[in-house]
Amino acid sequence: MTRLRFLALPAVLAFAAAAAACSNNSTTTPTPTTPTTFTEVFSGTITVNGAASHAFIAQGSGTVSLALTALTPDAANPIGIALGTWTGAACQVVIANDKAVQGSTVAGAVGSSGSLCARAYDVGNVVAGTPVSYEFTVTHP
């Protein structure tokens, strides 16, 4: 009987070592996710000395960009476009392009979620009686 215990002991030790090696203490590497990006289209009309603001909500940190996609009646006649923070009553401009023509962009970074705004405004080129229509696309987190 002593001999049976002597032979069984190494088998039990080998099984225990193998079971310990198969423990659930493995390390996994998280899979990176792509942040969600939202796209919004805003349009309107501005007149002499006029402006229009459009509020939107950034859901997190990341890049915010505004692209002037349409400008009529003259796509080469500059207006102003800007990105800023929405105060609840006005657009507090942070970054602007005062010589924006169709195809122009402005971009910036936002550090966290919050109320932002996009703005179009006359920079002295809108002619009385001929309002300027615009459309821009805003992408944001």
Side-chain angles (χ1 to χ4, degrees), residues 13-100:
L13 290 175
F15 179 76
C22 293
S23 72
N24 198 13
N25 292 334
S26 63
T27 303
T28 60
T29 304
T31 303
T33 59
T34 303
T36 302
T37 301
F38 299 93
T39 301
E40 299 188 54
V41 177
F42 299 103
S43 61
T45 303
I46 54 175
T47 57
V48 174
N49 297 324
S53 297
H54 306 275
F56 59 94
I57 305 281
Q59 302 296 319
S61 62
T63 301
V64 179
S65 66
L66 180 158
L68 183 59
T69 56
L71 187 59
T72 57
D74 183 355
N77 192 22
I79 65 168
I81 58 173
L83 288 169
T85 54
W86 182 248
T87 67
C91 186
Q92 182 177 1
V93 173
V94 175
I95 185 166
N97 179 349
D98 289 339
K99 296 179 182 179

